[in-house]
Amino acid sequence: MSRTDHQRYVALGDSQTEGLGDGDDTVGLRGFADRLAEQLARANPGLQYANLAVRGRLAGQVRAEQLAPALELRPDLATVVAGVNDLLRPKFDAEAVVGELEQMFAALTAAGATVATATFPDLSRLVPIARPLSGRIHELNDRVRAAAARHGVLVADTARPAVSTDPRLWSTDRLHAGPLGHARIAAALAEALGLPDSDDSWADPLSPLPPAGFLRTARAELRWTADFLGPWLARRVRGRSSGDHRTARRPHLAPLAG
């Protein structure tokens, strides 16, 4: 089987893989995994696709809850993208987090699947109060790259291009990619996989933004704090997750339209 000849694609991960920021629970989510499946299906019309991702999951939860079901589906292609929820926790251990990812890399590649993952843009460029997390993000990315190299896992290195932190690629919560961001992630994975009609244009910058005035910026920060940071902190205090009582939206392999 060539790298582009895939028939069974399974996506593992958290909210980004689930598709948050690209659609909603009313109209349905799309996300980078669906978008990648669409491109795969153009080259492989018989493609079967499952998405096991659930929002709010830590890397260890992704491994514990999704790896065994993924292996049962016998994928020939899998994406594994997780770790951001971990780095937002007070007690973050990059080595332990990537250890969880590496277990998934090892198991899936040993089962014969081509595996791809992605690195994470520096959130501190989008959320000023997240500047203390910048070092964590860089360490996580370095460890993900190293773990991927050990197992022959392909890496869409979306952390590197400056456009990855352009706010137009992100949803209003600044933690999830918006439709354009999900499209860019899918395109980066397609390039890593060497899919037909893929290239590095996903890394191209957008046209420059006009400078934002102080008052406009201040209002935007206050609105973001009230709408997103406050509720997120409240969930942390109560020990709750956005993924409580949720399950995978595509737990079984099926054609993309199914």
Side-chain angles (χ1 to χ4, degrees), residues 18-253:
E18 186 184 351
L20 261 66
D22 191 3
D24 56 38
D25 289 334
T26 300
V27 303
L29 298 173
R30 193 177 180 195
F32 76 80
D34 282 28
R35 291 171 179 271
L36 178 62
E38 291 167 7
Q39 187 163 348
L40 286 161
R42 288 196 289 272
N44 305 282
L47 179 79
Q48 302 272 305
Y49 164 53
N51 189 325
L52 307 182
V54 179
R55 66 193 69 180
R57 295 304 194 255
L58 303 172
Q61 293 172 316
V62 173
R63 178 194 56 75
E65 299 171 10
Q66 299 174 29
L67 178 58
L71 291 170
E72 290 177 0
L73 295 173
R74 297 182 293 109
D76 54 55
L77 171 65
T79 52
V80 179
V81 181
V84 169
N85 289 320
D86 297 85
L87 71 83
L88 296 174
R89 298 300 195 272
K91 296 181 180 180
F92 171 68
D93 183 336
E95 182 178 8
V97 171
V98 176
E100 301 286 358
L101 298 178
E102 189 160 5
Q103 288 185 59
M104 292 184 274
F105 295 166
L108 289 161
T109 54
T114 296
V115 180
T117 190
T119 54
F120 307 103
D122 188 346
L123 295 174
S124 69
R125 299 181 185 178
L126 295 160
V127 185
I129 65 171
R131 285 173 186 157
L133 301 179
S134 183
R136 291 183 175 189
I137 296 170
H138 291 295
E139 181 184 6
L140 179 62
N141 285 334
D142 286 343
R143 289 183 179 274
V144 165
R145 295 182 188 106
R150 287 191 288 271
H151 296 279
V153 170
L154 304 170
V155 179
D157 211 347
T158 53
R160 295 196 188 279
V163 73
S164 292
T165 52
D166 188 306
R168 289 168 288 185
L169 268 62
W170 293 81
S171 66
T172 52
D173 69 6
R174 305 182 192 173
L175 293 176
H176 300 100
L180 180 57
H182 277 284
R184 294 277 182 131
I185 297 168
L189 286 163
E191 185 200 9
L193 288 164
L195 297 187
D197 301 320
S198 65
D199 56 34
D200 62 359
S201 60
W202 62 270
D204 290 347
L206 302 178
S207 58
L209 280 169
F214 173 78
L215 288 178
R216 181 180 175 185
T217 300
R219 284 195 295 267
E221 294 302 314
L222 288 172
R223 186 166 55 251
W224 175 80
T225 299
D227 291 347
F228 300 107
L229 180 60
W232 183 86
L233 290 172
R235 287 198 300 272
R236 297 284 75 77
V237 169
R238 296 196 300 269
R240 298 182 60 185
S241 166
S242 59
D244 288 347
H245 312 300
R246 287 185 175 271
T247 57
R249 64 181 176 87
R250 289 182 65 97
H252 307 294
L253 284 168

